[in-house]
């Protein structure tokens, strides 16, 4: 199966782009969404996270996000430890998902595709870009966040120039209609390339 990685900085419009590929019939796996689902449902993750964070990691209604966020806030090493539990399970789940797909290619949306080295496993990589001020504006509208928090996340991620240098395709997401047109073109380029 041909694997296309879709990435971009926070608020660039990855999920918006991914949905557009989905509308064209491409199976899309949104890694963050699947990771969240697995953290809520996988017994093996639950067991390991309770080993890591203690019994407060889960409440009766599921994963205790505020508690975990607080632990990580006070000791960043816990983020890596949590990722070491969650990422292999997501990778396993993704492999099983891919096996069930019948389209010519699949898309995996991953926010930190370059940072983790995950791009090396992709046949093609697409980066979504948008000017920083638009990304901040959109995120403030979407989330209960603030410019400082968004800036801190942006500074922790790769920058657009670095992502673009290693990408096969770049989608600029300023105007939605133009982005949709470009996605169609890229979709057919990929189909042509893998024929
Ligand atoms: P995150 O990094 O948080 O996962 P993302 O890169 O997946 O975000 P989206 O969630 O797709 O980005 O987009 C961020 C917000 O901006 C959403 O509320 C989305 O509806 C809005 N948005 C995306 N593209 C556009 C656009 N071209 N015009 C206006 N709003 C947009």
């Amino acid at each position: 199966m041909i694997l296309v990685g879709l990435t971009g900085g926070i608020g660039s419009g990855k999920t918006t782009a991914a949905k557009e590929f989905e509308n064209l019939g491409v199976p899309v796996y949104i890694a963050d969404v699947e990771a969240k689902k697995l953290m809520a449902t996988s017994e093996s993750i639950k067991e390991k996270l309770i080993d890591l964070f203690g019994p407060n990691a889960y409440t009766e209604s599921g994963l205790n996000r505020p508690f975990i966020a607080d632990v990580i806030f006070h000791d960043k090493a816990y983020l890596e430890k949590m990722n070491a539990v969650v990422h292999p399970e997501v990778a396993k789940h993704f492999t099983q998902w891919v096996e069930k797909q019948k389209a010519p290619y699949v898309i995996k949306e991953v926010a930190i595709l370059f940072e983790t080295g995950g791009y090396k496993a992709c046949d093609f990589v697409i980066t979504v870009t948008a000017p920083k001020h638009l990304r901040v504006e959109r995120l403030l509208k979407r989330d209960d966040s603030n410019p400082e928090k968004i800036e801190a996340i942006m500074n922790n991620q790769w920058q657009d120039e670095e992502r673009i240098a290693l990408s096969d395709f770049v989608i600029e997401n300023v105007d939605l209609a133009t982005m949709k047109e470009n996605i169609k073109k890229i979709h057919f380029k990929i189909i042509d390339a893998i024929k």
Side-chain angles (χ1 to χ4, degrees):
M1 175 64 76
I2 300 292
L3 171 60
V4 178
L6 178 70
T7 193
I10 179 172
S12 55
K14 295 177 290 297
T15 302
T16 307
K19 295 288 169 199
E20 203 43 42
F21 278 99
E22 208 163 49
N23 290 341
L24 296 171
V26 182
V28 169
Y29 188 94
I30 301 188
D32 280 352
V33 171
E34 299 302 332
K36 274 188 191 139
K37 277 193 215 159
L38 285 172
M39 284 166 92
T41 58
S42 155
E43 281 306 317
S44 130
I45 292 183
K46 185 173 177 181
E47 228 171 74
K48 289 177 190 155
L49 289 184
I50 289 174
D51 278 349
L52 179 62
F53 291 105
N56 288 338
Y58 285 79
T59 64
E60 269 175 23
S61 48
L63 187 69
N64 189 350
R65 288 191 174 277
F67 171 76
I68 289 177
D70 189 55
V71 173
I72 291 172
F73 181 78
H74 287 100
D75 184 352
K76 298 276 177 285
Y78 274 95
L79 179 60
E80 245 168 65
K81 290 179 192 169
M82 184 175 80
N83 285 342
V85 169
V86 178
H87 285 172
E89 296 283 339
V90 177
K92 216 190 299 171
H93 182 258
F94 174 69
T95 305
Q96 290 163 354
W97 176 85
V98 167
E99 280 165 9
K100 288 186 239 152
Q101 306 309 319
K102 296 203 165 51
Y105 74 94
V106 298
I107 284 192
K108 187 179 190 185
E109 186 211 301
V110 188
I112 49 170
L113 188 68
F114 287 113
E115 292 84 341
T116 58
Y119 72 97
K120 292 178 194 153
C122 298
D123 297 284
F124 299 96
V125 174
I126 304 172
T127 287
V128 182
T129 66
K132 277 191 175 173
H133 72 275
L134 274 184
R135 290 161 60 192
V136 174
E137 202 177 282
R138 290 170 184 166
L139 289 167
L140 290 176
K141 214 188 266 181
R142 189 192 68 185
D143 301 334
D144 177 25
S145 191
N146 60 65
E148 293 73 30
K149 208 164 141 186
I150 295 169
E151 191 75 28
I153 295 172
M154 282 178 173
N155 290 339
N156 230 1
Q157 298 180 330
W158 278 32
Q159 301 306 301
D160 274 349
E161 311 81 71
E162 302 170 281
R163 281 187 279 255
I164 289 169
L166 290 177
S167 296
D168 300 286
F169 302 101
V170 177
I171 302 173
E172 193 183 46
N173 175 24
V174 175
D175 163 67
L176 208 51
T178 310
M179 172 159 88
K180 286 182 183 179
E181 279 310 307
N182 285 333
I183 285 175
K184 232 183 257 172
K185 285 182 194 155
I186 290 169
H187 171 63
F188 288 114
K189 275 188 190 163
I190 294 173
I191 297 275
D192 271 349
I194 62 182
K195 255 185 202 158

